[in-house]
């Protein structure tokens, strides 16, 4: 029986290849096969070794080349063909990257798996844009949520009443498609209309673009500017620090 390979769930960081970890770069260079998401930066893709098999598994919001179940099955199957399999994910594998589901499937199939953390875009993108997600004078709490969940559904896992009352920073990942719904949910639960908001498109890359406003006007501003994913949405008083720090 052929010895099974090992799968590495690797975080590719927020886009800038210089924000890769040393271990991530080494594993990419040594990989026999790389399965990568749409959110992996072009600069990182430029590091892919010429001899590796490359599989684009997509995984952008509402635009998937393969379902999650198909990706799980693919990883299990590849472990019978290759020694070193890198599953490369934008940001960190365990921060809304569904890495936990893939790790579960691999462990259940008896395949060795190792997680290699990455720099999460939830912190790095605002930071490089001049927005510290925590600051003693403005925010002592940070909440990272998926902005893709429909806040109007009855069984939502997100408590928008609690989010609206919290004085800290809210970072929404994958939230562009439901920007209006998320903003309306925060406002309906008492979040002040003048709360600062920033939307950072393609953060840490040379195509970065920032749209700043408040909860009261950010939806119209985003529509006017044609904001598109991938983007990070930051809500909170720390957004105002960008005037000083950027």
């Amino acid at each position: 029986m052929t010895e099974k390979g090992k799968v590495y769930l690797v975080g590719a960081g927020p886009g800038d290849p210089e924000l890769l970890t040393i271990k991530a770069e080494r594993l990419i260079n040594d990989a026999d096969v790389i399965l990568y998401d749409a959110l992996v930066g072009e600069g990182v893709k430029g590091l892919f070794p010429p001899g590796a098999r490359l599989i684009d598994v997509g995984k952008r919001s509402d635009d998937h080349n393969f379902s999650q179940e198909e990706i799980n099955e693919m990883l299990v199957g590849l472990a019978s063909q290759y020694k070193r399999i890198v599953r490369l994910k934008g940001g960190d594998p365990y921060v809304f990257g569904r890495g936990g589901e893939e790790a579960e499937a691999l462990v259940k199939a008896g395949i060795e798996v190792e997680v290699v953390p990455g720099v999460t875009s939830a912190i790095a993108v605002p930071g490089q844009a001049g927005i510290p997600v925590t600051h003693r004078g403005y925010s002592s709490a940070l909440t990272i949520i998926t902005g893709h969940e429909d806040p109007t559904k009855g069984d939502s896992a997100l408590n928008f009443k609690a989010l609206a009352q919290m004085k800290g920073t809210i970072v929404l990942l994958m939230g562009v498609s439901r920007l209006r719904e998320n903003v309306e949910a925060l406002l309906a639960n008492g979040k002040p209309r003048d709360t600062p908001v920033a939307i950072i498109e393609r953060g840490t890359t040379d195509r970065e673009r920032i749209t700043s406003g408040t909860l009261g006007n950010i939806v119209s501003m985003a529509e006017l500017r044609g904001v598109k994913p991938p983007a990070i949405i930051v809500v909170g008083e720390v957004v105002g620090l960008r005037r000083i720090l950027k």
Side-chain angles (χ1 to χ4, degrees), residues 146-153 155-158 160 174 178 182:
T146 172
H148 185 59
E149 184 185 49
D150 185 353
T152 64
K153 71 180 186 182
D155 59 345
S156 172
L158 300 176
F160 274 88
M174 305 171 291
R178 294 195 179 275
N182 285 309

Side-chain angles (χ1 to χ4, degrees), residues 177-193:
S177 64
R178 294 195 179 275
L179 176 63
R180 179 180 295 275
E181 292 87 344
N182 285 309
V183 167
E184 288 178 349
L186 288 170
L187 291 173
N189 283 281
K191 199 73 171 172
R193 294 179 63 84

Side-chain angles (χ1 to χ4, degrees), residues 124-176:
V125 168
Q128 286 213 337
I131 303 171
V133 291
T134 65
H135 186 288
R136 188 172 63 170
Y138 298 90
S139 173
S140 296
L142 168 64
T143 303
I144 303 171
I145 67 173
T146 172
H148 185 59
E149 184 185 49
D150 185 353
T152 64
K153 71 180 186 182
D155 59 345
S156 172
L158 300 176
N159 185 338
F160 274 88
K161 183 175 181 180
L163 288 169
Q165 293 175 352
M166 190 185 72
K167 301 299 183 183
T169 306
I170 303 172
V171 174
L172 295 95
L173 304 182
M174 305 171 291
V176 171

